[in-house]
């Protein structure tokens, strides 16, 4: 087993690039990339870093030269032969050759496009512009680099034995969580923690701990590189990025209202089974389900990623019932800001009513709260989102208005088009 504390200590001599592979990313990014490569390859998008936790001054904590060095290293990466073989030949979600030959040929020749970085006050402005299939693959590695560099800024102040004790405490904290989850009957849980992890090494350690501690209750990881190296399932479907960009390309309000369903129509042509999972909250879950075409009710399940999770699940159950579907045969994936107490609570509440699953993110792979002075390793809310498509701004409404993004006039327009009424605000933790 890797001695994480010693490796962290050795970071001071800069021997460890943070991202070492283009498949050190979430599986859903590759699935979406293939869909975009097929359906919208020429769309021009801009992605931008957004630090929702403005109290964390990234530009004060992270040296710009070091950040550029890490980003430049990512631009030098390409698929290795082993990675290409794994993607071409492995079985994902029961399907062989998930990735088409034309997509794989393109991916094997890909180098990520340039970035734009500048300091603005105590934050960094980091943007990526270009064709959608290329630019979208910056999101996860960019977040991983910034999260880990912020962590290194705190760790660099610690000596070797302090680091040993820190990681011993963090391992104990995580193992106690795993021991609690062992007692949750019927649990199915996956690692969704790549984008805001403490580090790659820590995520890999957390996955191994889940494998040993939870056995069959642990169903896989979103991280492709870890899935390949640990010979476990790669988990993921689709994300808000798809409807946000499709909507931004809409020419009028009628086309805008149809955009979220056009996304899933394209997805329906490519995927089946457990990959047919709806993410309904981009422009409000209630309105999405109210106007959803009947064929969507036949999909496998729904992922709940904002708002009150229990309310979201109850809304989904009622919708399936009105469509003549049996909710007990449907999958509900909870994935927003989870920790063990909420996981156990939701499992108990919905077991037997739906097929329950969890995507456990930041508080699996980055819960160092309370372990260093001034909580300098506490997780924070950092995202990298598509902010424009073909020159048009993107919008996300969410079921939590604190997660909404986009120009104010466009947010108002989208709320009108998608008939979004009053929403309850809740704290955005991660």
């Amino acid at each position: 087993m890797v001695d994480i504390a010693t490796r962290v200590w050795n970071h001071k001599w800069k021997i460890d690039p943070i991202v070492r592979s283009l498949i050190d990313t979430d599986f859903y990014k590759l699935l979406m990339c293939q869909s975009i490569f097929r359906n919208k390859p020429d769309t021009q998008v801009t992605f931008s870093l957004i630090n929702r936790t403005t109290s964390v001054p990234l530009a004060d904590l992270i040296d710009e030269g070091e950040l550029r060095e890490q980003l430049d290293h990512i631009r030098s990466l390409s698929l290795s032969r082993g990675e290409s073989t794994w993607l071409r030949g492995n079985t994902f979600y029961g399907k062989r050759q998930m990735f088409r030959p034309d997509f794989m040929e393109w991916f094997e020749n890909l180098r990520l496009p340039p970035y734009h970085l500048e300091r603005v006050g105590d934050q960094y402005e980091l943007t990526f512009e270009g064709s959608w299939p290329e630019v979208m693959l910056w999101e996860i590695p960019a977040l991983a680099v910034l999260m880990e560099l912020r962590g290194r800024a705190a760790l660099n102040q610690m000596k070797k034995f302090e680091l040993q004790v820190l990681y011993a405490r963090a391992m104990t904290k995580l193992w106690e969580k795993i021991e609690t989850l062992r007692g949750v009957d019927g649990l199915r849980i996956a690692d969704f923690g790549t984008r805001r992890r403490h580090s790659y090494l820590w995520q890999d350690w957390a996955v191994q701990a889940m494998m040993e501690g939870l056995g069959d209750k642990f169903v896989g990881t979103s991280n492709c590189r870890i899935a390949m190296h640990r010979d476990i399932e790669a988990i993921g479907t689709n994300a808000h990025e798809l409807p946000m960009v499709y909507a931004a390309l809409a020419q009028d309000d009628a086309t805008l209202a149809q955009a979220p369903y056009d996304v899933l129509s394209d997805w329906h042509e490519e995927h089946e089974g457990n990959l047919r999972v709806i993410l309904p909250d981009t422009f409000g879950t209630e309105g999405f389900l109210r106007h959803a075409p009947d064929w969507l009710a036949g999909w496998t399940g729904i992922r709940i990623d904002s708002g009150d999770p229990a309310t979201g699940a109850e809304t989904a159950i009622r919708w399936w019932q009105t469509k003549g579907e049996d909710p007990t045969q449907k999958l509900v994936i909870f994935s927003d800001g989870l920790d063990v107490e909420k996981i156990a609570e939701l499992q108990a509440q919905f077991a037997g009513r739906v097929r329950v699953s969890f995507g456990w993110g930041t508080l699996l792979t980055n819960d160092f709260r309370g372990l260093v002075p001034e909580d300098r390793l506490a997780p924070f809310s950092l995202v990298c989102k598509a902010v424009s498509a073909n020159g048009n701004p993107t919008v996300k409404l969410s079921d939590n208005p604190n997660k909404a993004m986009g120009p104010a006039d466009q947010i108002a327009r989208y709320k009108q088009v998608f008939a979004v009424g009053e929403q309850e605000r809740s704290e955005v933790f991660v």
Side-chain angles (χ1 to χ4, degrees):
M1 184 174 292
V2 172
D3 180 347
I4 297 179
T6 297
R7 288 285 291 274
V8 169
W9 175 255
N10 287 339
H11 283 155
K12 297 177 181 181
W13 284 269
K14 297 186 178 179
I15 63 169
D16 258 346
I18 290 171
V19 175
R20 294 171 173 240
S21 165
L22 286 183
I23 69 165
D24 183 8
T25 193
D26 282 332
F27 187 58
Y28 79 84
K29 280 303 242 187
L30 301 188
L31 292 176
M32 291 198 305
C33 189
Q34 177 170 248
S35 180
I36 293 162
F37 179 79
R38 176 186 178 188
N39 296 298
K40 305 281 186 185
D42 299 322
T43 301
Q44 298 295 297
V45 301
T46 300
F47 271 71
S48 181
L49 181 75
I50 302 168
N51 183 5
R52 293 170 174 157
T53 312
T54 55
S55 60
V56 177
L58 290 176
D60 290 341
L61 297 171
I62 297 172
D63 177 75
E64 183 176 336
E66 188 173 5
L67 175 55
R68 289 184 182 277
E69 186 178 70
Q70 293 289 345
L71 296 174
D72 289 342
H73 176 75
I74 293 170
R75 290 201 65 212
S76 74
L77 296 173
S78 61
L79 286 189
S80 71
R81 181 176 297 179
E83 291 165 348
S84 178
T85 300
W86 182 72
L87 288 171
R88 284 179 178 270
N90 196 47
T91 298
F92 301 101
Y93 283 81
K95 181 179 179 180
R96 292 297 301 268
Q97 295 185 323
M98 176 71 75
F99 297 103
R100 299 190 311 275
D102 60 334
F103 172 75
M104 284 304 307
E105 183 176 348
W106 170 84
F107 194 20
E108 286 160 352
N109 289 286
L110 177 70
R111 300 293 189 282
L112 292 190
Y115 60 88
H116 173 79
L117 174 68
E118 67 177 283
R119 178 174 179 145
V120 180
D122 62 2
Q123 300 293 337
Y124 283 117
E125 181 180 277
L126 178 60
T127 56
F128 312 94
E129 299 179 6
S131 67
W132 191 6
E134 295 181 355
V135 173
M136 67 178 294
L137 294 177
W138 261 117
E139 177 186 354
I140 305 300
L143 289 173
V145 162
L146 283 152
M147 295 299 294
E148 186 162 348
L149 285 179
R150 181 264 192 168
R152 288 186 185 184
L155 297 170
N156 281 342
Q157 302 172 32
M158 303 177 71
K159 298 180 180 179
K160 189 170 182 180
F161 280 87
E162 287 182 292
L163 289 168
Q164 293 281 5
V165 172
L166 168 67
Y167 281 102
R169 288 172 174 167
M171 289 174 177
T172 300
K173 185 176 187 179
L174 177 53
W175 190 253
E176 288 174 349
K177 291 186 181 189
I178 291 171
E179 288 181 322
T180 299
L181 292 176
R182 278 180 180 168
V184 178
D185 291 337
L187 180 68
R188 287 177 53 83
I189 191 165
D191 157 41
F192 275 20
T194 299
R195 63 183 51 239
R196 284 186 286 267
R197 68 194 182 195
H198 172 72
S199 69
Y200 176 83
L201 290 176
W202 184 251
Q203 183 182 13
D204 187 42
W205 188 90
V207 165
Q208 292 177 76
M210 295 275 278
M211 291 170 66
E212 179 176 315
L214 293 180
D216 291 343
K217 292 181 177 180
F218 180 61
V219 297
T221 175
S222 66
N223 187 286
C224 296
R225 187 168 189 243
I226 295 175
M228 184 181 78
H229 281 267
R230 300 299 168 195
D231 194 24
I232 55 178
E233 293 291 331
I235 302 292
T237 53
N238 55 71
H240 302 106
E241 174 185 341
L242 287 175
M244 287 172 66
V245 173
Y246 271 58
L249 299 176
Q251 299 298 310
D252 51 44
D253 286 357
T255 314
L256 173 59
Q258 183 61 29
Y261 310 115
D262 290 341
V263 169
L264 299 182
S265 178
D266 286 346
W267 194 264
H268 191 90
E269 292 180 10
E270 292 192 61
H271 301 298
E272 56 189 21
N274 283 349
L275 284 174
R276 288 185 178 173
V277 173
I278 303 166
L279 180 62
D281 69 321
T282 310
F283 308 122
T285 295
E286 290 276 2
F288 176 93
L289 295 179
R290 187 182 312 119
H291 300 290
D294 289 343
W295 56 266
L296 268 178
W299 272 34
T300 300
I302 280 178
R303 179 160 73 92
I304 298 172
D305 196 54
S306 65
D308 177 69
T311 300
E314 296 289 0
T315 299
I317 289 170
R318 289 194 299 271
W319 177 65
W320 282 317
Q321 289 172 334
T322 64
K323 296 295 184 178
E325 298 284 339
D326 180 2
T328 64
Q329 302 304 306
K330 297 296 185 179
L331 177 66
V332 172
I333 303 172
F334 297 101
S335 62
D336 182 30
L338 297 172
D339 209 0
V340 286
E341 295 81 6
K342 179 59 69 174
I343 291 169
E345 176 187 322
L346 291 168
Q347 177 68 30
Q349 184 172 353
F350 291 100
R353 301 179 62 199
V354 293
R355 294 162 50 211
V356 182
S357 188
F358 298 92
W360 192 13
T362 305
L363 294 181
L364 167 62
T365 61
N366 198 3
D367 190 4
F368 283 68
R369 293 173 298 176
L371 298 183
V372 298
E374 301 174 10
D375 232 5
R376 294 191 308 272
L377 286 177
F380 64 105
S381 186
L382 185 70
V383 297
C384 184
K385 295 289 188 182
V387 295
S388 72
N390 286 355
N392 302 315
T394 62
V395 171
K396 178 184 175 187
L397 299 180
S398 179
D399 287 333
N400 176 6
N402 285 341
K403 282 190 171 184
M405 57 167 284
D409 63 327
Q410 289 301 307
I411 289 177
R413 175 192 171 212
Y414 275 59
K415 283 186 172 181
Q416 183 174 11
V417 168
F418 292 105
V420 176
E422 290 296 318
Q423 294 178 301
E424 183 177 343
R425 293 183 178 273
S426 56
E427 181 183 2
V428 179
F429 176 61
V430 289

